[in-house]
Amino acid sequence: AFLVARGMTGMFSGIVPVLKAYIFDAFPADDVPAILAYREAAGTLAFVIGPLLGGAMATRYFSSPLYFASFSGAFAALLVTRFLGEA
C-alpha cells in the first residue's frame, strides 16, 4: 500500500508547472508575481505544518493522517471542480 501511495504521489507531483501556467493565464500580468509568491509561501508552509500535524494526529490513531490526507485531497478536488474556471 505504501508503494502505491508513493507512486500516486509521484504521478501527481507534476502539478506545479501546470499551476504556474494557469496563474500566468488567469491573472493580470501585474498580479502574477504576488500570486506566485503566495503560492510558494503556501508550499513552504505545507512542508513545515504537514509533518507536524501528521505526527500529532498519529499519536492518537496511527492511520488518521492517511484519512486526513485523502479527505483533504478529495475536498480540494471538489473545490477546484466547483470554483475554478477555465483561464
Side-chain angles (χ1 to χ4, degrees):
F2 178 73
L3 291 178
V4 172
R6 290 299 294 169
M8 294 292 287
T9 301
M11 285 187 343
F12 295 110
S13 65
I15 194 69
V16 173
V18 175
L19 177 63
K20 286 183 180 180
Y22 180 82
I23 289 170
F24 276 103
D25 287 344
F27 293 97
D30 293 340
D31 295 340
V32 168
I35 293 170
L36 286 175
Y38 288 136
R39 196 217 65 82
E40 292 295 329
T44 302
L45 188 64
F47 279 111
V48 174
I49 299 295
L52 180 67
L53 182 63
M57 290 171 65
T59 60
R60 294 269 186 177
Y61 183 64
F62 185 70
S63 62
S64 61
L66 301 174
Y67 292 118
F68 181 77
S70 64
F71 287 128
S72 64
F75 183 66
L78 180 67
L79 288 177
V80 165
T81 57
R82 175 80 171 113
F83 296 110
L84 196 63
E86 290 192 27

Coordinates of all heavy atoms in Angstrom, one line a residue:
A1 N 0.8 -1.2 0.0 CA 0.0 0.0 0.0 C 0.9 1.3 0.0 O 0.5 2.2 -0.7 CB -0.9 0.0 1.2
F2 N 2.0 1.2 0.7 CA 2.9 2.4 0.8 C 3.5 2.7 -0.6 O 3.5 3.8 -1.0 CB 4.0 2.1 1.8 CG 4.9 3.3 1.9 CD1 4.6 4.5 2.5 CD2 6.2 3.2 1.4 CE1 5.4 5.5 2.6 CE2 7.1 4.2 1.4 CZ 6.7 5.4 2.1
L3 N 3.9 1.6 -1.3 CA 4.5 1.9 -2.6 C 3.4 2.4 -3.6 O 3.8 3.3 -4.4 CB 5.1 0.6 -3.1 CG 6.3 0.1 -2.4 CD1 6.8 -1.2 -3.0 CD2 7.4 1.1 -2.5
V4 N 2.2 2.0 -3.5 CA 1.1 2.5 -4.3 C 0.9 4.0 -4.0 O 0.8 4.8 -4.9 CB -0.1 1.7 -4.2 CG1 -1.3 2.3 -4.9 CG2 0.1 0.3 -4.7
A5 N 0.9 4.3 -2.7 CA 0.7 5.7 -2.3 C 1.8 6.6 -2.8 O 1.6 7.7 -3.3 CB 0.5 5.8 -0.8
R6 N 3.0 6.1 -2.7 CA 4.2 6.9 -3.1 C 4.2 7.0 -4.7 O 4.5 8.0 -5.2 CB 5.5 6.2 -2.7 CG 5.8 6.3 -1.2 CD 5.9 7.7 -0.7 NE 7.0 8.3 -1.3 CZ 7.3 9.6 -1.2 NH1 6.5 10.4 -0.6 NH2 8.4 10.1 -1.8
G7 N 3.7 6.0 -5.3 CA 3.6 6.0 -6.8 C 2.6 7.1 -7.2 O 2.8 7.8 -8.2
M8 N 1.5 7.1 -6.5 CA 0.4 8.1 -6.8 C 0.9 9.5 -6.6 O 0.6 10.4 -7.3 CB -0.8 7.8 -6.0 CG -1.5 6.5 -6.4 SD -2.3 6.5 -8.0 CE -3.7 7.6 -7.7
T9 N 1.7 9.7 -5.5 CA 2.3 11.0 -5.2 C 3.2 11.4 -6.3 O 3.2 12.6 -6.7 CB 3.0 10.9 -3.8 OG1 2.1 10.5 -2.8 CG2 3.6 12.2 -3.5
G10 N 4.0 10.5 -6.8 CA 4.9 10.8 -7.9 C 4.2 11.2 -9.2 O 4.6 12.1 -9.9
M11 N 3.1 10.5 -9.4 CA 2.3 10.8 -10.7 C 1.7 12.1 -10.6 O 1.6 12.8 -11.7 CB 1.2 9.7 -10.9 CG 1.8 8.4 -11.3 SD 0.6 7.1 -11.8 CE -1.0 7.6 -11.1
F12 N 1.3 12.6 -9.5 CA 0.6 13.9 -9.4 C 1.5 15.0 -9.0 O 1.1 16.1 -8.8 CB -0.6 13.8 -8.5 CG -1.7 12.9 -9.0 CD1 -1.9 11.7 -8.4 CD2 -2.4 13.2 -10.2 CE1 -2.9 10.8 -8.9 CE2 -3.3 12.4 -10.7 CZ -3.6 11.2 -10.1
S13 N 2.8 14.8 -8.8 CA 3.7 15.8 -8.3 C 4.1 16.8 -9.4 O 4.6 17.8 -9.2 CB 5.0 15.2 -7.8 OG 5.7 14.5 -8.8
G14 N 3.7 16.5 -10.7 CA 4.0 17.5 -11.8 C 2.9 18.6 -11.9 O 2.9 19.3 -12.9
I15 N 2.1 18.8 -10.9 CA 1.1 19.8 -10.9 C 1.6 21.2 -10.8 O 1.0 22.1 -11.3 CB 0.0 19.5 -9.9 CG1 -1.3 20.3 -10.1 CG2 0.5 19.8 -8.5 CD1 -2.0 19.9 -11.3
V16 N 2.8 21.4 -10.3 CA 3.3 22.7 -10.0 C 3.5 23.5 -11.3 O 3.1 24.7 -11.4 CB 4.6 22.7 -9.2 CG1 5.3 24.0 -9.1 CG2 4.4 22.1 -7.8
P17 N 4.1 22.9 -12.4 CA 4.2 23.7 -13.6 C 2.8 24.0 -14.2 O 2.6 25.1 -14.8 CB 5.0 22.8 -14.6 CG 5.7 21.9 -13.7 CD 4.9 21.7 -12.5
V18 N 1.9 23.1 -14.1 CA 0.6 23.4 -14.6 C -0.1 24.5 -13.8 O -0.7 25.4 -14.4 CB -0.3 22.1 -14.5 CG1 -1.7 22.3 -14.9 CG2 0.3 21.0 -15.4
L19 N 0.1 24.5 -12.5 CA -0.5 25.5 -11.7 C 0.1 26.9 -12.0 O -0.6 27.9 -12.2 CB -0.3 25.2 -10.2 CG -0.8 26.3 -9.2 CD1 -2.3 26.5 -9.3 CD2 -0.3 25.9 -7.8
K20 N 1.4 26.9 -12.2 CA 2.1 28.2 -12.6 C 1.6 28.7 -14.0 O 1.4 29.9 -14.1 CB 3.6 28.0 -12.6 CG 4.1 28.0 -11.2 CD 5.6 27.9 -11.2 CE 6.2 27.8 -9.8 NZ 7.7 27.7 -9.7
A21 N 1.4 27.8 -14.9 CA 0.9 28.2 -16.2 C -0.5 28.7 -16.1 O -0.9 29.7 -16.8 CB 0.9 27.0 -17.2
Y22 N -1.3 28.1 -15.3 CA -2.7 28.6 -15.0 C -2.7 30.0 -14.4 O -3.5 30.9 -14.8 CB -3.5 27.6 -14.1 CG -4.9 28.1 -13.9 CD1 -5.9 27.8 -14.8 CD2 -5.2 28.8 -12.7 CE1 -7.2 28.3 -14.6 CE2 -6.5 29.3 -12.5 CZ -7.5 29.0 -13.4 OH -8.7 29.5 -13.2
I23 N -1.8 30.2 -13.5 CA -1.7 31.5 -12.8 C -1.3 32.6 -13.9 O -1.9 33.7 -13.9 CB -0.7 31.5 -11.7 CG1 -1.3 30.7 -10.5 CG2 -0.3 32.9 -11.2 CD1 -0.3 30.4 -9.4
F24 N -0.4 32.3 -14.7 CA 0.0 33.2 -15.8 C -1.1 33.5 -16.7 O -1.3 34.6 -17.2 CB 1.2 32.7 -16.6 CG 2.5 33.0 -15.9 CD1 3.2 32.0 -15.2 CD2 3.1 34.3 -16.0 CE1 4.4 32.3 -14.6 CE2 4.3 34.5 -15.4 CZ 5.0 33.5 -14.7
D25 N -2.0 32.5 -17.0 CA -3.1 32.7 -18.0 C -4.3 33.4 -17.3 O -5.0 34.2 -18.0 CB -3.5 31.4 -18.5 CG -2.5 30.9 -19.6 OD1 -1.7 31.6 -20.0 OD2 -2.6 29.7 -19.9
A26 N -4.5 33.1 -16.0 CA -5.8 33.6 -15.4 C -5.7 34.9 -14.7 O -6.8 35.5 -14.5 CB -6.2 32.5 -14.4
F27 N -4.5 35.4 -14.5 CA -4.4 36.7 -13.7 C -3.7 37.8 -14.5 O -2.9 37.5 -15.4 CB -3.7 36.5 -12.4 CG -4.4 35.6 -11.4 CD1 -4.1 34.2 -11.4 CD2 -5.4 36.1 -10.6 CE1 -4.8 33.4 -10.5 CE2 -6.1 35.3 -9.7 CZ -5.8 33.9 -9.7
P28 N -4.0 39.0 -14.2 CA -3.3 40.1 -14.9 C -1.8 40.1 -14.7 O -1.4 39.6 -13.6 CB -3.9 41.4 -14.3 CG -5.2 41.0 -13.7 CD -5.0 39.5 -13.3
A29 N -1.0 40.5 -15.6 CA 0.4 40.5 -15.5 C 1.0 41.2 -14.3 O 2.0 40.7 -13.7 CB 1.1 41.0 -16.8
D30 N 0.3 42.2 -13.8 CA 0.8 43.0 -12.6 C 0.6 42.2 -11.4 O 1.3 42.4 -10.4 CB 0.0 44.3 -12.5 CG 0.4 45.3 -13.6 OD1 1.5 45.1 -14.3 OD2 -0.4 46.2 -13.9
D31 N -0.4 41.3 -11.3 CA -0.7 40.5 -10.1 C 0.1 39.2 -10.0 O 0.2 38.6 -9.0 CB -2.2 40.2 -10.0 CG -3.0 41.4 -9.9 OD1 -2.4 42.5 -9.4 OD2 -4.2 41.4 -10.2
V32 N 0.7 38.7 -11.2 CA 1.3 37.4 -11.2 C 2.4 37.2 -10.2 O 2.5 36.2 -9.5 CB 1.7 37.1 -12.6 CG1 2.7 35.9 -12.7 CG2 0.5 36.9 -13.5
P33 N 3.4 38.2 -10.1 CA 4.5 38.0 -9.1 C 4.0 37.8 -7.6 O 4.5 36.9 -6.9 CB 5.3 39.2 -9.2 CG 5.0 39.8 -10.6 CD 3.6 39.4 -10.8
A34 N 3.0 38.6 -7.2 CA 2.4 38.4 -5.9 C 1.8 37.1 -5.7 O 1.9 36.4 -4.7 CB 1.5 39.6 -5.6
I35 N 1.0 36.7 -6.7 CA 0.3 35.4 -6.6 C 1.3 34.2 -6.6 O 1.1 33.3 -5.8 CB -0.7 35.3 -7.7 CG1 -1.8 36.3 -7.5 CG2 -1.3 33.9 -7.8 CD1 -2.8 36.5 -8.7
L36 N 2.3 34.3 -7.4 CA 3.3 33.2 -7.4 C 4.1 33.2 -6.0 O 4.4 32.1 -5.5 CB 4.3 33.4 -8.5 CG 3.8 33.1 -9.9 CD1 4.9 33.4 -10.9 CD2 3.4 31.6 -10.0
A37 N 4.3 34.4 -5.4 CA 4.9 34.4 -4.1 C 4.0 33.8 -3.0 O 4.5 33.0 -2.2 CB 5.2 35.9 -3.7
Y38 N 2.7 34.1 -3.1 CA 1.8 33.4 -2.2 C 1.8 31.9 -2.3 O 1.7 31.2 -1.4 CB 0.4 34.0 -2.4 CG 0.2 35.4 -1.9 CD1 -0.5 36.3 -2.6 CD2 0.7 35.8 -0.6 CE1 -0.7 37.6 -2.2 CE2 0.5 37.1 -0.2 CZ -0.2 38.0 -1.0 OH -0.3 39.3 -0.5
R39 N 1.8 31.4 -3.6 CA 1.8 30.0 -3.9 C 3.1 29.4 -3.3 O 3.0 28.3 -2.7 CB 1.7 29.7 -5.4 CG 1.4 28.3 -5.7 CD 2.0 27.7 -6.9 NE 3.5 27.6 -6.8 CZ 4.1 26.6 -6.2 NH1 3.5 25.7 -5.6 NH2 5.4 26.6 -6.2
E40 N 4.2 30.0 -3.5 CA 5.5 29.5 -2.9 C 5.4 29.5 -1.4 O 5.9 28.5 -0.8 CB 6.7 30.3 -3.4 CG 6.9 30.1 -4.9 CD 7.4 28.7 -5.3 OE1 8.0 28.0 -4.5 OE2 7.0 28.3 -6.4
A41 N 4.9 30.5 -0.8 CA 4.8 30.6 0.7 C 3.9 29.5 1.2 O 4.2 28.8 2.2 CB 4.3 32.0 1.1
A42 N 2.8 29.2 0.5 CA 1.9 28.2 0.9 C 2.5 26.8 0.8 O 2.4 25.9 1.7 CB 0.6 28.2 0.1
G43 N 3.3 26.6 -0.3 CA 4.0 25.3 -0.4 C 5.1 25.1 0.7 O 5.2 24.0 1.2
T44 N 5.8 26.2 1.0 CA 6.8 26.1 2.0 C 6.2 25.8 3.4 O 6.6 25.0 4.2 CB 7.7 27.3 2.1 OG1 8.2 27.5 0.8 CG2 8.7 27.3 3.1
L45 N 5.1 26.5 3.7 CA 4.4 26.3 4.9 C 3.8 24.9 5.0 O 3.8 24.3 6.1 CB 3.2 27.3 5.0 CG 2.5 27.4 6.3 CD1 3.5 27.9 7.5 CD2 1.3 28.4 6.2
A46 N 3.4 24.3 3.9 CA 2.9 23.0 3.9 C 4.0 22.0 4.3 O 3.7 21.0 5.0 CB 2.3 22.6 2.6
F47 N 5.2 22.2 3.9 CA 6.3 21.3 4.3 C 6.6 21.4 5.8 O 7.2 20.4 6.3 CB 7.6 21.6 3.5 CG 7.6 21.1 2.1 CD1 7.5 21.9 1.0 CD2 7.7 19.7 1.9 CE1 7.5 21.4 -0.3 CE2 7.7 19.2 0.7 CZ 7.6 20.0 -0.4
V48 N 6.3 22.5 6.4 CA 6.5 22.6 7.8 C 5.3 22.1 8.6 O 5.5 21.3 9.6 CB 6.8 24.1 8.2 CG1 6.9 24.3 9.7 CG2 8.1 24.6 7.5
I49 N 4.1 22.5 8.3 CA 2.9 22.2 9.0 C 2.5 20.7 8.8 O 2.0 20.1 9.7 CB 1.8 23.2 8.6 CG1 2.2 24.6 9.0 CG2 0.5 22.8 9.3 CD1 2.3 24.9 10.4
G50 N 2.7 20.2 7.6 CA 2.2 18.9 7.3 C 2.8 17.8 8.2 O 2.0 17.0 8.8
P51 N 4.1 17.7 8.3 CA 4.6 16.6 9.2 C 4.3 16.9 10.6 O 4.1 15.9 11.4 CB 6.2 16.7 8.9 CG 6.3 17.3 7.6 CD 5.1 18.3 7.4
L52 N 4.3 18.1 11.0 CA 3.9 18.4 12.4 C 2.5 18.0 12.7 O 2.2 17.3 13.7 CB 4.0 19.9 12.7 CG 3.7 20.4 14.1 CD1 4.7 19.9 15.1 CD2 3.7 21.9 14.1
L53 N 1.6 18.3 11.8 CA 0.2 17.9 12.0 C 0.0 16.4 11.9 O -0.7 15.8 12.7 CB -0.7 18.6 11.0 CG -2.2 18.4 11.0 CD1 -2.8 18.9 12.3 CD2 -2.9 19.1 9.9
G54 N 0.7 15.8 10.9 CA 0.6 14.3 10.8 C 1.1 13.6 12.0 O 0.6 12.6 12.4
G55 N 2.2 14.1 12.5 CA 2.8 13.4 13.7 C 1.9 13.6 14.9 O 1.7 12.6 15.7
A56 N 1.3 14.8 15.1 CA 0.3 15.0 16.2 C -0.9 14.1 16.0 O -1.4 13.5 17.0 CB -0.1 16.4 16.3
M57 N -1.4 13.9 14.8 CA -2.5 13.1 14.6 C -2.2 11.6 14.8 O -3.0 10.9 15.3 CB -3.1 13.3 13.2 CG -3.7 14.7 13.0 SD -4.1 15.0 11.3 CE -5.3 13.8 11.0
A58 N -1.0 11.2 14.4 CA -0.6 9.8 14.5 C -0.5 9.3 16.0 O -0.5 8.1 16.3 CB 0.6 9.5 13.7
T59 N -0.2 10.3 16.9 CA -0.1 9.9 18.3 C -1.5 9.4 18.8 O -1.5 8.6 19.8 CB 0.4 11.0 19.1 OG1 -0.5 12.1 19.1 CG2 1.8 11.4 18.7
R60 N -2.5 9.9 18.3 CA -3.9 9.5 18.7 C -4.3 8.2 18.0 O -4.7 7.2 18.7 CB -4.9 10.6 18.3 CG -4.7 11.8 19.1 CD -5.5 11.7 20.3 NE -5.5 13.0 21.0 CZ -6.2 13.2 22.0 NH1 -6.9 12.3 22.5 NH2 -6.1 14.4 22.6
Y61 N -4.2 8.1 16.7 CA -4.6 7.0 16.0 C -3.7 6.9 14.8 O -3.6 7.8 14.0 CB -6.1 7.1 15.5 CG -6.6 6.0 14.8 CD1 -6.8 4.7 15.4 CD2 -7.1 6.1 13.5 CE1 -7.3 3.6 14.7 CE2 -7.6 5.0 12.8 CZ -7.7 3.8 13.4 OH -8.2 2.7 12.7
F62 N -3.0 5.8 14.6 CA -1.8 5.7 13.7 C -2.2 6.1 12.3 O -1.4 6.7 11.6 CB -1.2 4.4 13.8 CG 0.1 4.2 13.0 CD1 1.2 4.9 13.4 CD2 0.1 3.5 11.8 CE1 2.4 4.8 12.6 CE2 1.2 3.4 11.1 CZ 2.4 4.1 11.5
S63 N -3.3 5.6 11.8 CA -3.6 5.8 10.4 C -4.5 7.1 10.1 O -4.9 7.4 9.0 CB -4.4 4.6 9.8 OG -5.6 4.5 10.5
S64 N -4.7 7.9 11.1 CA -5.5 9.1 10.9 C -4.9 10.1 10.0 O -5.6 10.7 9.2 CB -5.8 9.8 12.3 OG -4.6 10.2 12.9
P65 N -3.5 10.3 9.9 CA -3.0 11.2 8.9 C -3.3 10.7 7.4 O -3.5 11.5 6.6 CB -1.5 11.1 9.1 CG -1.3 10.7 10.5 CD -2.5 9.8 10.8
L66 N -3.4 9.4 7.2 CA -3.8 8.9 5.9 C -5.2 9.3 5.5 O -5.5 9.7 4.4 CB -3.6 7.4 5.8 CG -2.2 6.9 6.1 CD1 -2.2 5.4 6.2 CD2 -1.2 7.4 5.1
Y67 N -6.1 9.1 6.5 CA -7.5 9.5 6.2 C -7.6 11.0 6.0 O -8.4 11.5 5.1 CB -8.4 9.1 7.4 CG -8.6 7.6 7.5 CD1 -8.1 6.9 8.6 CD2 -9.1 6.9 6.4 CE1 -8.3 5.5 8.7 CE2 -9.3 5.5 6.5 CZ -8.8 4.8 7.7 OH -9.0 3.5 7.7
F68 N -6.9 11.8 6.8 CA -7.0 13.3 6.7 C -6.4 13.7 5.3 O -7.0 14.5 4.7 CB -6.1 13.9 7.8 CG -6.2 15.4 7.8 CD1 -7.3 16.1 8.2 CD2 -5.1 16.1 7.3 CE1 -7.3 17.5 8.1 CE2 -5.1 17.5 7.2 CZ -6.2 18.2 7.7
A69 N -5.3 13.1 4.9 CA -4.8 13.5 3.6 C -5.7 13.1 2.5 O -5.9 13.9 1.5 CB -3.4 12.8 3.4
S70 N -6.3 11.9 2.6 CA -7.3 11.5 1.5 C -8.5 12.4 1.4 O -8.9 12.8 0.4 CB -7.6 10.1 1.6 OG -8.3 9.8 2.8
F71 N -9.1 12.7 2.6 CA -10.2 13.6 2.6 C -9.9 15.0 2.2 O -10.7 15.6 1.5 CB -10.9 13.6 4.0 CG -11.6 12.3 4.3 CD1 -11.4 11.6 5.5 CD2 -12.5 11.7 3.4 CE1 -12.0 10.4 5.7 CE2 -13.2 10.5 3.6 CZ -12.9 9.9 4.8
S72 N -8.8 15.5 2.6 CA -8.4 16.9 2.3 C -8.1 17.0 0.8 O -8.5 18.0 0.1 CB -7.3 17.4 3.1 OG -6.1 16.7 2.8
G73 N -7.5 15.9 0.2 CA -7.3 15.9 -1.2 C -8.6 15.8 -2.0 O -8.8 16.5 -3.0
A74 N -9.5 15.0 -1.6 CA -10.8 15.0 -2.2 C -11.6 16.3 -2.1 O -12.2 16.7 -3.0 CB -11.6 13.8 -1.6
F75 N -11.5 16.9 -0.9 CA -12.1 18.2 -0.7 C -11.5 19.3 -1.7 O -12.2 20.1 -2.3 CB -12.0 18.6 0.7 CG -12.7 19.9 1.0 CD1 -14.1 20.0 0.9 CD2 -12.0 21.1 1.4 CE1 -14.7 21.2 1.2 CE2 -12.6 22.2 1.7 CZ -14.0 22.3 1.6
A76 N -10.2 19.3 -1.8 CA -9.5 20.2 -2.7 C -10.0 20.0 -4.2 O -10.2 20.9 -4.9 CB -8.0 20.1 -2.6
A77 N -10.1 18.7 -4.6 CA -10.5 18.4 -5.9 C -12.0 18.9 -6.1 O -12.3 19.4 -7.2 CB -10.4 16.9 -6.2
L78 N -12.8 18.7 -5.1 CA -14.2 19.2 -5.2 C -14.2 20.7 -5.4 O -15.0 21.3 -6.2 CB -15.0 18.8 -4.0 CG -16.4 19.2 -3.9 CD1 -17.2 18.5 -5.0 CD2 -17.0 18.9 -2.5
L79 N -13.4 21.4 -4.6 CA -13.3 22.9 -4.7 C -12.8 23.3 -6.1 O -13.4 24.3 -6.7 CB -12.4 23.5 -3.6 CG -12.9 23.4 -2.2 CD1 -11.9 24.0 -1.2 CD2 -14.2 24.2 -2.1
V80 N -11.9 22.6 -6.6 CA -11.3 23.0 -7.9 C -12.4 22.8 -9.0 O -12.6 23.7 -9.8 CB -10.0 22.2 -8.2 CG1 -9.7 22.2 -9.7 CG2 -8.9 22.7 -7.4
T81 N -13.1 21.7 -9.0 CA -14.1 21.5 -10.0 C -15.3 22.4 -9.9 O -15.9 22.7 -10.8 CB -14.6 20.0 -10.0 OG1 -15.1 19.7 -8.7 CG2 -13.5 19.0 -10.3
R82 N -15.5 22.9 -8.7 CA -16.7 23.7 -8.4 C -16.4 25.2 -8.8 O -17.2 25.9 -9.4 CB -17.1 23.6 -7.0 CG -18.2 24.5 -6.5 CD -19.6 24.0 -7.0 NE -20.6 24.8 -6.4 CZ -21.4 25.6 -7.1 NH1 -21.3 25.6 -8.4 NH2 -22.3 26.3 -6.5
F83 N -15.2 25.7 -8.3 CA -14.9 27.1 -8.4 C -13.9 27.6 -9.4 O -13.8 28.8 -9.7 CB -14.5 27.7 -7.0 CG -15.6 27.5 -6.0 CD1 -15.5 26.6 -5.0 CD2 -16.7 28.3 -6.1 CE1 -16.5 26.5 -4.0 CE2 -17.7 28.2 -5.1 CZ -17.6 27.3 -4.1
L84 N -13.1 26.7 -9.9 CA -12.0 27.1 -10.8 C -12.5 27.0 -12.3 O -12.8 25.9 -12.8 CB -10.8 26.2 -10.6 CG -9.5 26.7 -11.2 CD1 -9.1 28.0 -10.5 CD2 -8.4 25.6 -10.9
G85 N -12.5 28.1 -12.9 CA -13.0 28.2 -14.3 C -11.8 28.1 -15.2 O -10.6 28.0 -14.8
E86 N -12.1 28.0 -16.5 CA -11.0 28.0 -17.5 C -10.3 29.4 -17.6 O -11.0 30.4 -17.4 CB -11.6 27.6 -18.9 CG -12.0 26.2 -18.9 CD -12.3 25.7 -20.3 OE1 -11.7 26.2 -21.2 OE2 -13.1 24.8 -20.4
A87 N -9.1 29.3 -17.9 CA -8.3 30.6 -17.9 C -8.6 31.3 -19.2 O -9.0 30.8 -20.2 CB -6.8 30.3 -17.9

